[in-house]
Amino acid sequence: MRTIEATGKTIEDAVRSGLVRLGLMEEEVTIEVLAEPKSGFLGFGSKPAKVRLTEKARKNAPIYDIEEEERKAAPPAEPKAAEAAPAEDVTAETPEEPVEEPAAVEAEPAEETFTAEEAAAKAKAFLQDVLRNMGIEVMIEKMIKSDKIILHLHGKNLGILIGKHGQTLDALQYLTNLTTNQGEETRHFIMLDVENYRQRREETLKQLAVRLAGRVKRSGEKVVLEPMNGYERKIIHVALQNEAHVRTESEGQDPYRHVVIYYEK
């Protein structure tokens, strides 16, 4: 089990920073407050809040490890990182093809009490605060679509924000959505992406699905993948929906929900 200490202006900020570094949700850790924040006098003698986060014990891992399969395939070329710059808002002009997202919010009435632009600004402010506390500078590119708001993060050495199989990025995305939609009647889904990681990961999962389907057809035995979030599970299901002699099912409970590929005559 991993244990880290994190600091922030408030206890909440310190916890958020620690969760991002661990790539975990709040319910997956135990939190110990080591020091309360102190404001000091006229700015002097102030001290940040300090907490210790310890990862809770998890259930046994599924029998199939995606990381092992990914090593067998040639890794996609890493794009050249953009020069790090103070976080700024850049609106992309070229629209992307819509990607169906399980967590996408259904269309709201014409008059929104909390617009997508306001949600994007709120999400950006939250990210700036968290990343500033982590000592990371990024450029944030905003893209507003009908079903989601995509915030692309560009900068140097941003691998720490991705984590193993995107776990840290998913945790940061979860916290961003939680903070952005808190107290609002209209809800918006915020998707975070770091240097086009989501697109590269999608291609990897599609290729993985095809390889595993072939393995299932040859052996006649099911293959159990490791836990994935809903977005990645959907990529596997869609990639194999028209594949003959195999079917896919999502099984288990979050955060251990995973895809199983079955042989079907």
Side-chain angles (χ1 to χ4, degrees):
M1 293 183 294
R2 295 173 293 169
T3 299
I4 66 167
E5 294 182 1
T7 59
K9 292 181 179 178
T10 64
I11 291 176
E12 184 180 26
D13 287 341
V15 170
R16 286 174 179 169
S17 178
L19 290 174
V20 169
R21 288 167 55 192
L22 285 173
L24 298 174
M25 307 299 185
E26 188 169 345
E27 59 269 21
E28 297 178 287
V29 302
T30 56
I31 302 171
E32 179 185 357
V33 177
L34 301 179
E36 297 279 351
K38 295 182 179 179
S39 58
F41 178 71
L42 298 179
F44 296 98
S46 60
K47 293 183 179 180
K50 187 175 183 180
V51 298
R52 178 182 293 126
L53 276 61
T54 302
E55 182 179 10
K56 294 180 181 178
R58 298 193 178 193
K59 299 178 182 178
N60 293 333
I63 63 175
Y64 189 80
D65 186 359
I66 292 180
E67 186 174 21
E68 178 181 350
E69 188 68 20
E70 286 181 335
R71 286 197 294 267
K72 298 177 182 178
E78 291 286 337
K80 185 177 180 181
E83 289 295 324
E88 60 180 79
D89 184 6
V90 180
T91 302
E93 298 180 357
T94 305
E96 295 180 351
E97 284 295 320
V99 177
E100 186 177 354
E101 170 61 43
V105 179
E106 294 182 359
E108 294 289 335
E111 293 185 3
E112 293 182 331
T113 57
F114 182 49
T115 68
E117 286 288 351
E118 292 172 333
K122 189 174 179 181
K124 176 190 166 186
F126 169 73
L127 284 172
Q128 286 175 325
D129 187 48
V130 170
L131 298 179
R132 187 180 300 113
N133 286 333
M134 294 176 66
I136 298 175
E137 291 187 342
V138 299
M139 179 182 74
I140 300 177
E141 179 184 358
K142 173 187 68 180
M143 180 175 291
I144 297 179
K145 303 175 72 174
S146 60
D147 60 341
K148 66 174 73 71
I149 299 168
I150 305 175
L151 298 180
H152 294 275
L153 279 58
H154 304 283
K156 287 185 176 180
N157 304 318
L158 298 185
I160 188 176
L161 296 182
I162 297 176
K164 181 181 179 182
H165 299 327
Q167 290 178 345
T168 303
L169 186 59
D170 288 342
L172 183 58
Q173 179 174 288
Y174 169 80
L175 292 173
T176 301
N177 276 276
L178 194 65
T179 302
T180 300
N181 292 300
Q182 188 174 20
E184 304 291 350
E185 293 183 6
T186 303
R187 303 180 68 82
H188 297 274
F189 176 69
I190 314 292
M191 175 180 282
L192 303 186
D193 197 0
V194 173
E195 297 293 0
N196 295 319
Y197 166 79
R198 299 285 189 195
Q199 182 178 352
R200 301 199 308 273
R201 175 70 169 167
E202 180 176 346
E203 290 303 316
T204 296
L205 290 176
K206 286 179 179 178
Q207 295 170 15
L208 171 67
V210 172
R211 290 200 301 274
L212 294 182
R215 181 178 302 178
V216 170
K217 291 178 184 179
R218 291 191 300 271
S219 67
E221 298 181 355
K222 69 179 182 181
V223 167
V224 182
L225 283 71
E226 68 182 16
M228 299 179 189
N229 59 40
Y231 177 76
E232 294 190 341
R233 293 196 306 271
K234 184 174 182 64
I235 291 173
I236 300 292
H237 292 312
V238 172
L240 298 181
Q241 64 183 355
N242 296 320
E243 192 78 19
H245 303 299
V246 297
R247 65 181 174 86
T248 60
E249 298 286 348
S250 287
E251 300 180 359
Q253 299 294 323
D254 288 329
Y256 308 104
R257 195 159 173 79
H258 54 273
V259 174
V260 182
I261 305 176
Y262 290 95
Y263 178 73
E264 190 169 63
K265 295 183 179 179

